[in-house]
Amino acid sequence: MKIIIVGGGSAGWMTAATLQSQLPQHQISLIESKNISITGVGESTLGRIKDWTRLLKIEDKDFMKDTDASYKLSIKFTDFYKKKSQFHYPFGPPELEGNAAFLNDWWFKKLSNPKTSNSDYAECIFPTQMAYVNQNKFDTSREHAFHFDAVKFGIWLRDNRCKKVKHIIDDIVSVEQDKNGIKSLNNKYKADLYIDCTGFKSLLLGKSLKEPFESYADMLPNDSAWATRIKYKNKKKELVPYTNCTAIQNGWVWNIPLWSRIGTGYVYSSKFVDDETALKEFKKHLGQEALEFKKIKMRVGIHNRLWVKNVVAIGLSAGFIEPLESNGLFSVHDFLWHLLRSLQREKVTQWEKDNFTYRCKKTFKQFSEFVAMHYALSVRDDTPYWRHCFNKQWCDKLITLQQDHLVGFQSIAHNKMHDFHFDQRGGMHCIAAGMNWSPTDIPTLVYNNYRSIENMKKDWIPLIKELNYKKQNAIEKTKYKLNLLDYLKKYIYT
């Protein structure tokens, strides 16, 4: 099979590297233009990227030094629930053993002492991971992802994992079509399968094949971003193992610490603020000089079909949610995994193409609703933007919490009236706890039990003690681990 990938960047070269690694029998080419800029701000990843690097047999040390990379253990949310609030969504499974063996046991601690900070949830349920995060420490025993320069990552893949991929520098000025889809590009580049990695432009799937685009603007409020880079003032303190997301007037600001600098950007809604005012808000938030500012207009949603005739879309050309929860590169390697599954047989049927679309869009939809819940659960109402989120009539799927979407959250709503347990799948329980949305409450406990709340609180005492012990014990165990900066100096940037 001859495969042509159109578009470079991280999506294009991740696609090329994946196909060369897993389908070496096919002839693979990548065409990119030297005249088209790369979006290049997908600098934060999720833990599942380790599944992809493992598939391609890529070790951390192979690429980190060349991509300005650092490690990531968690995502921090600042001022999302309300002003002066913060909480974490750490990577890895909850540490549930002993007497305190359920996610909801922390809520007994909260009910016993309402002044308990919502940020304490992650520190008790993920005590070891959060001990590393709070002390700014790292070692490879922890589940982790990466912060890296996405443009440099694409270049590294090109130079190190795509040596058998034919690299063509050319502008696509014509797309010839027939009944099977695309016949050729520029009347000379021909393939059996074309993979669209042209970003928001979606040159092949959207512009050429005219595949309809499903907007998610009714569910996700943001459609624009300013991005820039800033220098470290105190690198040992500011180089932290997490992405920080801070809610401000008309959206939120990401802060991604790489090895040599910090990547940052303001994600906002053009319905509530114009670009120049947003830039002023962003500069005021930064409070320091920055390098050039890059304006990004986001197309939020996904195409109706992702595999049409002989064209498949990967990355921004397929769809995009918004940068919250670092989903951009996740959708790239997740869609690539589904593509590999579809290419295992000699020929690809229409059923296989439609099934590829279904599998990719199901995950995409789940992630979109997960991101939307960050806004739906916020109680901020201090600006028109946040009042809109506060008063918004959300779509039925967010209100009814259907189980096929929002994995793990539907059960919270039902179990609140039955056995009061969060479902530990996914990260919704971390977001719900950070937003003070409890799986149970005192009226529910009293209503559904034959015991007084005073007697129930006596039963909670050993659970609370164990949670506190695990939290403190993790801090003691990790306090002699290397600071993240020192770890990177010793093992990566030698």
Side-chain angles (χ1 to χ4, degrees):
M1 179 187 290
K2 293 180 67 175
I3 302 174
I4 289 180
I5 302 162
V6 181
S10 50
W13 289 111
M14 285 175 73
T15 300
T18 302
L19 297 181
Q20 178 183 300
S21 169
Q22 301 303 308
L23 301 171
Q25 71 274 24
H26 297 320
Q27 182 182 331
I28 304 164
S29 302
L30 185 147
I31 304 173
E32 65 176 337
S33 170
K34 63 181 180 181
N35 299 314
I36 298 176
S37 62
I38 299 170
T39 301
V41 294
E43 299 184 328
S44 188
T45 61
L46 296 176
R48 290 297 301 272
I49 197 171
K50 291 287 292 182
D51 298 332
W52 180 78
T53 57
R54 184 174 62 252
L55 179 68
L56 272 62
K57 298 180 180 179
I58 298 174
E59 300 293 335
D60 296 0
K61 291 182 179 180
D62 294 343
F63 71 90
M64 288 186 68
K65 190 172 183 179
D66 292 325
T67 60
D68 206 18
S70 183
Y71 286 108
K72 175 181 175 181
L73 300 176
S74 179
I75 304 173
K76 182 180 181 181
F77 297 91
T78 302
D79 295 343
F80 259 82
Y81 170 49
K82 59 183 180 181
K83 282 190 172 183
K84 298 183 179 180
S85 68
Q86 61 181 38
F87 62 92
H88 275 267
Y89 170 16
F91 296 157
E95 296 176 41
L96 304 175
E97 70 279 332
N99 292 322
F102 298 101
L103 297 175
N104 72 299
D105 288 346
W106 177 85
W107 285 97
F108 298 148
K109 179 180 180 181
K110 177 76 170 178
L111 294 176
S112 296
N113 181 10
K115 292 184 180 181
T116 302
S117 170
N118 294 341
S119 63
D120 185 69
Y121 176 84
E123 294 169 2
C124 288
I125 303 300
F126 303 84
T128 307
Q129 191 82 345
M130 285 305 299
Y132 278 94
V133 168
N134 288 332
Q135 297 177 91
N136 199 10
K137 305 289 182 68
F138 182 79
D139 70 39
T140 52
S141 68
R142 310 315 308 158
E143 290 208 25
H144 60 272
F146 308 99
H147 294 143
F148 56 55
D149 186 310
V151 174
K152 290 182 179 180
F153 186 62
I155 293 171
W156 183 87
L157 289 171
R158 180 195 70 190
D159 295 344
N160 293 275
R161 294 305 173 107
C162 299
K163 293 182 179 179
K164 295 181 180 180
V165 174
K166 186 178 181 181
H167 185 201
I168 302 168
I169 303 295
D170 200 356
D171 292 315
I172 303 300
V173 295
S174 67
V175 179
E176 294 72 45
Q177 301 181 49
D178 59 18
K179 64 179 182 179
N180 297 314
I182 292 180
K183 182 180 179 181
S184 64
L185 303 171
N186 292 356
N187 278 308
K188 63 177 178 178
Y189 303 118
K190 297 183 179 181
D192 302 298
L193 179 66
Y194 297 85
I195 302 180
D196 189 344
C197 295
T198 60
F200 288 129
K201 185 178 181 180
S202 193
L203 175 64
L204 305 185
L205 185 69
K207 188 174 182 179
S208 299
L209 296 188
K210 308 297 183 185
E211 182 62 20
F213 186 79
E214 301 173 13
S215 174
Y216 282 14
D218 63 328
M219 183 170 63
L220 299 169
N222 300 321
D223 60 5
S224 305
W226 283 105
T228 190
R229 302 171 178 183
I230 58 177
K231 296 179 180 180
Y232 283 110
K233 293 181 178 178
N234 183 338
K235 188 171 181 178
K236 193 159 190 173
K237 180 179 179 181
E238 295 173 294
L239 178 57
V240 293
Y242 56 84
T243 301
N244 190 19
C245 306
T246 302
I248 61 173
Q249 292 99 310
N250 292 290
W252 62 276
V253 173
W254 76 72
N255 192 87
I256 302 173
L258 278 66
W259 171 250
S260 67
R261 47 86 178 177
I262 296 172
T264 183
Y266 181 18
V267 182
Y268 60 94
S269 171
S270 62
K271 294 179 181 179
F272 292 89
V273 63
D274 62 78
D275 294 339
E276 290 307 311
T277 303
L279 182 58
K280 291 177 182 178
E281 292 175 353
F282 185 28
K283 289 180 177 179
K284 182 178 180 181
H285 172 80
L286 293 177
Q288 66 181 92
E289 291 295 322
L291 303 178
E292 63 177 343
F293 290 86
K294 181 177 183 179
K295 175 71 176 66
I296 302 169
K297 187 66 178 177
M298 301 183 298
R299 185 185 62 159
V300 178
I302 193 167
H303 282 284
N304 184 41
R305 294 176 296 171
L306 305 180
W307 193 332
V308 179
K309 297 182 178 181
N310 61 351
V311 174
V312 176
I314 298 292
L316 299 178
S317 59
F320 185 62
I321 299 171
E322 70 139 276
L324 196 64
E325 290 284 355
S326 311
N327 63 84
L329 291 180
F330 168 79
S331 68
V332 173
H333 58 72
D334 188 70
F335 286 16
L336 285 172
W337 167 54
H338 289 304
L339 179 61
L340 288 176
R341 298 185 69 189
S342 300
L343 294 176
Q344 293 304 305
R345 299 196 294 172
E346 294 178 5
K347 295 183 179 181
V348 180
T349 67
Q350 185 61 44
W351 178 89
E352 197 84 59
K353 296 176 184 179
D354 293 340
N355 184 253
F356 168 82
T357 291
Y358 166 75
R359 285 180 280 137
C360 291
K361 289 186 70 174
K362 182 177 181 180
T363 303
F364 189 90
K365 186 72 169 179
Q366 289 175 347
F367 213 128
S368 299
E369 292 171 348
F370 175 51
V371 170
M373 289 303 297
H374 292 61
Y375 301 100
L377 290 178
S378 174
V379 299
R380 285 192 59 165
D381 61 355
D382 52 292
T383 68
Y385 172 91
W386 287 107
R387 280 196 294 276
H388 169 76
C389 294
F390 187 91
N391 294 310
K392 180 179 173 60
Q393 182 69 50
W394 296 93
C395 63
D396 287 345
K397 289 180 179 177
L398 264 65
I399 296 169
T400 58
L401 307 172
Q402 295 183 25
Q403 193 168 11
D404 287 344
H405 309 287
L406 290 172
V407 173
F409 199 57
Q410 183 260 8
S411 58
I412 300 174
H414 286 275
N415 290 343
K416 187 164 184 171
M417 302 307 170
H418 297 292
D419 60 9
F420 324 120
H421 289 164
F422 274 114
D423 191 311
Q424 63 177 290
R425 292 172 296 168
M428 198 62 240
H429 60 94
C430 291
I431 306 305
M435 300 284 196
N436 204 34
W437 200 94
S438 169
T440 191
D441 50 65
I442 289 177
T444 300
L445 288 171
V446 174
Y447 185 79
N448 286 281
N449 286 274
Y450 295 102
R451 303 170 62 218
S452 68
I453 192 65
E454 288 75 19
N455 285 333
M456 282 188 275
K457 285 184 176 181
K458 292 178 182 177
D459 293 338
W460 300 344
I461 292 174
L463 301 176
I464 295 170
K465 284 183 177 179
E466 183 164 347
L467 287 171
N468 291 336
Y469 169 77
K470 288 162 64 177
K471 175 181 172 180
Q472 190 59 42
N473 189 47
I475 295 172
E476 290 298 319
K477 282 184 176 181
T478 56
K479 68 180 182 180
Y480 297 112
K481 298 291 184 179
L482 284 175
N483 173 273
L484 175 59
L485 176 61
D486 295 331
Y487 183 95
L488 291 169
K489 283 181 178 179
K490 182 174 182 179
Y491 294 105
I492 304 298
Y493 294 92
T494 55

